[in-house]
mmCIF file of all heavy atoms in Angstrom:
data_model
loop_
_atom_site.group_PDB
_atom_site.id
_atom_site.type_symbol
_atom_site.label_atom_id
_atom_site.label_comp_id
_atom_site.label_asym_id
_atom_site.label_seq_id
_atom_site.Cartn_x
_atom_site.Cartn_y
_atom_site.Cartn_z
ATOM 1 N N ILE Q 30 102.601 130.824 42.246
ATOM 2 C CA ILE Q 30 102.431 131.178 40.869
ATOM 3 C C ILE Q 30 100.954 131.350 40.587
ATOM 4 O O ILE Q 30 100.145 130.491 41.043
ATOM 5 C CB ILE Q 30 103.045 130.074 39.930
ATOM 6 C CG1 ILE Q 30 104.521 129.950 40.164
ATOM 7 C CG2 ILE Q 30 102.734 130.439 38.469
ATOM 8 C CD1 ILE Q 30 105.159 128.790 39.421
ATOM 9 N N CYS Q 48 106.892 123.682 30.348
ATOM 10 C CA CYS Q 48 106.952 123.364 31.796
ATOM 11 C C CYS Q 48 107.496 121.955 32.000
ATOM 12 O O CYS Q 48 106.822 120.974 31.602
ATOM 13 C CB CYS Q 48 105.608 123.517 32.453
ATOM 14 S SG CYS Q 48 105.623 123.013 34.212
ATOM 15 N N PRO Q 49 108.635 121.750 32.631
ATOM 16 C CA PRO Q 49 109.193 120.391 32.765
ATOM 17 C C PRO Q 49 108.410 119.530 33.703
ATOM 18 O O PRO Q 49 108.512 118.321 33.696
ATOM 19 C CB PRO Q 49 110.617 120.639 33.305
ATOM 20 C CG PRO Q 49 110.526 121.956 33.970
ATOM 21 C CD PRO Q 49 109.516 122.796 33.192
ATOM 22 N N ALA Q 50 107.562 120.154 34.554
ATOM 23 C CA ALA Q 50 106.739 119.388 35.475
ATOM 24 C C ALA Q 50 105.362 119.089 34.924
ATOM 25 O O ALA Q 50 104.598 118.358 35.538
ATOM 26 C CB ALA Q 50 106.630 120.111 36.785
ATOM 27 N N LEU Q 52 102.813 121.097 34.501
ATOM 28 C CA LEU Q 52 101.713 121.647 35.364
ATOM 29 C C LEU Q 52 100.725 122.489 34.561
ATOM 30 O O LEU Q 52 99.626 122.750 35.110
ATOM 31 C CB LEU Q 52 102.339 122.479 36.449
ATOM 32 C CG LEU Q 52 103.315 121.752 37.387
ATOM 33 C CD1 LEU Q 52 103.829 122.673 38.445
ATOM 34 C CD2 LEU Q 52 102.680 120.529 38.022
ATOM 35 N N TYR Q 53 101.065 122.876 33.371
ATOM 36 C CA TYR Q 53 100.122 123.631 32.519
ATOM 37 C C TYR Q 53 99.401 122.653 31.628
ATOM 38 O O TYR Q 53 100.013 121.920 30.871
ATOM 39 C CB TYR Q 53 100.859 124.676 31.671
ATOM 40 C CG TYR Q 53 101.420 125.809 32.485
ATOM 41 C CD1 TYR Q 53 102.666 125.709 33.107
ATOM 42 C CD2 TYR Q 53 100.690 126.997 32.653
ATOM 43 C CE1 TYR Q 53 103.220 126.780 33.836
ATOM 44 C CE2 TYR Q 53 101.194 128.036 33.397
ATOM 45 C CZ TYR Q 53 102.452 127.913 33.978
ATOM 46 O OH TYR Q 53 102.943 128.969 34.728
ATOM 47 N N PHE Q 62 95.924 124.810 35.874
ATOM 48 C CA PHE Q 62 97.307 124.899 36.380
ATOM 49 C C PHE Q 62 97.224 124.658 37.897
ATOM 50 O O PHE Q 62 96.316 125.164 38.554
ATOM 51 C CB PHE Q 62 97.844 126.347 36.140
ATOM 52 C CG PHE Q 62 99.145 126.595 36.784
ATOM 53 C CD1 PHE Q 62 100.332 126.042 36.269
ATOM 54 C CD2 PHE Q 62 99.222 127.284 37.967
ATOM 55 C CE1 PHE Q 62 101.551 126.235 36.910
ATOM 56 C CE2 PHE Q 62 100.447 127.460 38.644
ATOM 57 C CZ PHE Q 62 101.622 126.938 38.078
ATOM 58 N N CYS Q 67 105.627 122.013 41.455
ATOM 59 C CA CYS Q 67 106.506 122.974 40.687
ATOM 60 C C CYS Q 67 107.979 122.746 41.065
ATOM 61 O O CYS Q 67 108.336 122.603 42.202
ATOM 62 C CB CYS Q 67 106.096 124.418 41.036
ATOM 63 S SG CYS Q 67 107.167 125.666 40.312
ATOM 64 N N PHE Q 68 108.856 122.751 40.046
ATOM 65 C CA PHE Q 68 110.293 122.582 40.251
ATOM 66 C C PHE Q 68 110.970 123.944 40.567
ATOM 67 O O PHE Q 68 112.197 123.956 40.765
ATOM 68 C CB PHE Q 68 110.952 121.999 38.991
ATOM 69 C CG PHE Q 68 110.462 120.623 38.673
ATOM 70 C CD1 PHE Q 68 110.483 120.212 37.300
ATOM 71 C CD2 PHE Q 68 110.041 119.743 39.653
ATOM 72 C CE1 PHE Q 68 110.077 118.947 36.990
ATOM 73 C CE2 PHE Q 68 109.610 118.464 39.309
ATOM 74 C CZ PHE Q 68 109.640 118.058 37.964
ATOM 75 N N GLU Q 69 110.236 125.024 40.472
ATOM 76 C CA GLU Q 69 110.756 126.362 40.741
ATOM 77 C C GLU Q 69 111.911 126.743 39.834
ATOM 78 O O GLU Q 69 112.851 127.430 40.132
ATOM 79 C CB GLU Q 69 111.237 126.487 42.209
ATOM 80 C CG GLU Q 69 110.146 126.204 43.224
ATOM 81 C CD GLU Q 69 110.647 126.014 44.640
ATOM 82 O OE1 GLU Q 69 111.665 126.642 44.978
ATOM 83 O OE2 GLU Q 69 110.023 125.231 45.390
ATOM 84 N N CYS Q 70 111.758 126.287 38.558
ATOM 85 C CA CYS Q 70 112.821 126.538 37.552
ATOM 86 C C CYS Q 70 112.693 127.913 36.956
ATOM 87 O O CYS Q 70 113.709 128.422 36.376
ATOM 88 C CB CYS Q 70 112.784 125.447 36.473
ATOM 89 S SG CYS Q 70 111.227 125.510 35.473
ATOM 90 N N GLY Q 71 111.545 128.502 36.959
ATOM 91 C CA GLY Q 71 111.389 129.830 36.394
ATOM 92 C C GLY Q 71 111.134 129.848 34.885
ATOM 93 O O GLY Q 71 110.984 130.957 34.305
ATOM 94 N N THR Q 72 111.040 128.712 34.265
ATOM 95 C CA THR Q 72 110.872 128.682 32.798
ATOM 96 C C THR Q 72 109.580 129.400 32.395
ATOM 97 O O THR Q 72 109.579 130.203 31.411
ATOM 98 C CB THR Q 72 110.788 127.227 32.341
ATOM 99 O OG1 THR Q 72 112.035 126.578 32.707
ATOM 100 C CG2 THR Q 72 110.557 127.148 30.839
ATOM 101 N N CYS Q 73 108.471 129.150 33.093
ATOM 102 C CA CYS Q 73 107.211 129.802 32.725
ATOM 103 C C CYS Q 73 107.269 131.276 32.895
ATOM 104 O O CYS Q 73 106.677 132.053 32.161
ATOM 105 C CB CYS Q 73 106.053 129.179 33.494
ATOM 106 S SG CYS Q 73 106.174 129.250 35.328
ATOM 107 N N TRP Q 85 104.693 135.416 39.884
ATOM 108 C CA TRP Q 85 105.664 134.322 40.070
ATOM 109 C C TRP Q 85 106.566 134.732 41.214
ATOM 110 O O TRP Q 85 107.176 135.791 41.229
ATOM 111 C CB TRP Q 85 106.495 134.125 38.787
ATOM 112 C CG TRP Q 85 107.255 132.782 38.799
ATOM 113 C CD1 TRP Q 85 106.817 131.668 38.096
ATOM 114 C CD2 TRP Q 85 108.404 132.423 39.477
ATOM 115 N NE1 TRP Q 85 107.709 130.622 38.314
ATOM 116 C CE2 TRP Q 85 108.697 131.071 39.175
ATOM 117 C CE3 TRP Q 85 109.253 133.085 40.347
ATOM 118 C CZ2 TRP Q 85 109.793 130.412 39.712
ATOM 119 C CZ3 TRP Q 85 110.361 132.434 40.904
ATOM 120 C CH2 TRP Q 85 110.636 131.073 40.553
HETATM 121 S S1 SF4 D 101 108.535 127.325 37.527
HETATM 122 FE FE1 SF4 D 101 109.084 125.652 36.134
HETATM 123 S S2 SF4 D 101 108.180 123.816 37.042
HETATM 124 FE FE2 SF4 D 101 107.227 125.560 37.997
HETATM 125 S S3 SF4 D 101 105.288 125.923 36.847
HETATM 126 FE FE3 SF4 D 101 106.940 127.199 35.938
HETATM 127 S S4 SF4 D 101 107.877 126.023 34.317
HETATM 128 FE FE4 SF4 D 101 106.656 124.619 35.560
#
Side-chain angles (χ1 to χ4, degrees):
I30 299 174
C48 175
L52 301 181
Y53 290 86
F62 173 77
C67 174
F68 298 151
E69 302 168 31
C70 64
T72 301
C73 59
W85 197 101

